[in-house]
Amino acid sequence: MEEKQLKTEEKKATVKVWAKRTGLFLLAVLVALQFFQPAKNNQSMDMANDIGKVVAVPENVHTILKTACYDCHSNNTNYPWYANIQPVGWWLKDHIDEGKEHLNFQEFALTEAGGRFPTKALRQDHQLEEVAEMVETGEMPLTSYTLIHGNAKLDAGERKMIMDWVTSARAELSNNDRQQPAEVTKTEN
């Protein structure tokens, strides 16, 4: 009986030692991760190619976009304090990179034709269509973003403002595209 109790106590002591070692190892890894910071998305606030240069953006809508969208969909992110704690900073960088890949409001004028979009205006129209869909369904801004950035939550009125703006912006793009001369593609003989 005493032998069983002794073995049980030895097992508990061994588990405690391994738990302590594992905890210390994980803490050391977490500390080491802090030395590997991802690059920040703070390129510039240059608005030369901003969406407002392509289509009219009322000031109230632009303010909403800057508050609710630009941190992930522009070249300049206002980072929260926890962005410097890894691996959270890497997770944020991934979200921002993915957001900019889909739509960068600051580079909207630089959008190029290609793939299933034969004209620049058609690709831009598609991007605006996606904005409308994401805002209408509540997919954007992300819930994980609005939990910390309460001012980025869109109420029904703000959603309607964005939806109305997207409708007029798409009409403006369509009108501008019809007025542009057809692009000529050179072919080699």
Side-chain angles (χ1 to χ4, degrees), residues 128-142:
L128 287 171
E129 179 183 30
E130 290 291 314
V131 168
E133 182 182 323
M134 295 291 124
V135 168
E136 185 176 39
T137 61
E139 289 183 55
M140 289 288 164
L142 294 173

Side-chain angles (χ1 to χ4, degrees), residues 19-30:
K20 186 177 180 179
R21 286 180 183 169
T22 302
L24 288 172
F25 173 77
L26 291 175
L27 180 62
V29 167
L30 188 61

Side-chain angles (χ1 to χ4, degrees), residues 9-167:
E9 287 178 22
E10 284 177 4
K11 283 182 183 180
K12 283 182 182 178
T14 302
V15 168
K16 268 181 137 178
V17 167
W18 278 106
K20 186 177 180 179
R21 286 180 183 169
T22 302
L24 288 172
F25 173 77
L26 291 175
L27 180 62
V29 167
L30 188 61
V31 168
L33 285 176
Q34 304 318 303
F35 293 101
F36 301 96
Q37 298 286 326
K40 300 277 187 185
N41 181 43
N42 289 327
Q43 297 169 28
S44 80
M45 275 307 290
D46 179 17
M47 303 303 260
N49 297 304
D50 191 68
I51 192 166
K53 303 294 183 186
V54 179
V55 293
V57 183
E59 190 58 39
N60 59 344
V61 172
H62 211 227
T63 300
I64 294 168
L65 294 177
K66 285 181 179 177
T67 303
C69 309
Y70 271 49
D71 273 350
C72 295
H73 296 282
S74 79
N75 292 330
N76 194 9
T77 300
N78 294 312
Y79 286 94
W81 63 269
Y82 55 84
N84 294 315
I85 299 172
Q86 303 316 316
V88 175
W90 293 333
W91 179 72
L92 288 173
K93 181 183 182 337
D94 184 56
H95 269 284
I96 292 164
D97 289 349
E98 186 177 337
K100 285 174 57 176
E101 183 180 308
H102 289 285
L103 172 65
N104 185 336
F105 286 108
Q106 268 186 282
E107 295 181 359
F108 195 78
L110 301 176
T111 302
E112 295 180 2
R116 65 181 208 192
F117 304 104
T119 69
K120 177 180 189 170
L122 285 175
R123 183 178 294 273
Q124 290 169 329
D125 178 74
H126 176 72
Q127 289 176 320
L128 287 171
E129 179 183 30
E130 290 291 314
V131 168
E133 182 182 323
M134 295 291 124
V135 168
E136 185 176 39
T137 61
E139 289 183 55
M140 289 288 164
L142 294 173
T143 303
S144 59
Y145 181 76
T146 58
L147 285 173
I148 303 296
H149 303 88
N151 61 338
K153 287 182 184 174
L154 300 176
D155 62 32
E158 291 169 323
R159 287 187 191 284
K160 183 174 179 351
M161 254 191 281
I162 291 174
M163 300 299 296
D164 291 346
W165 165 71
V166 166
T167 300

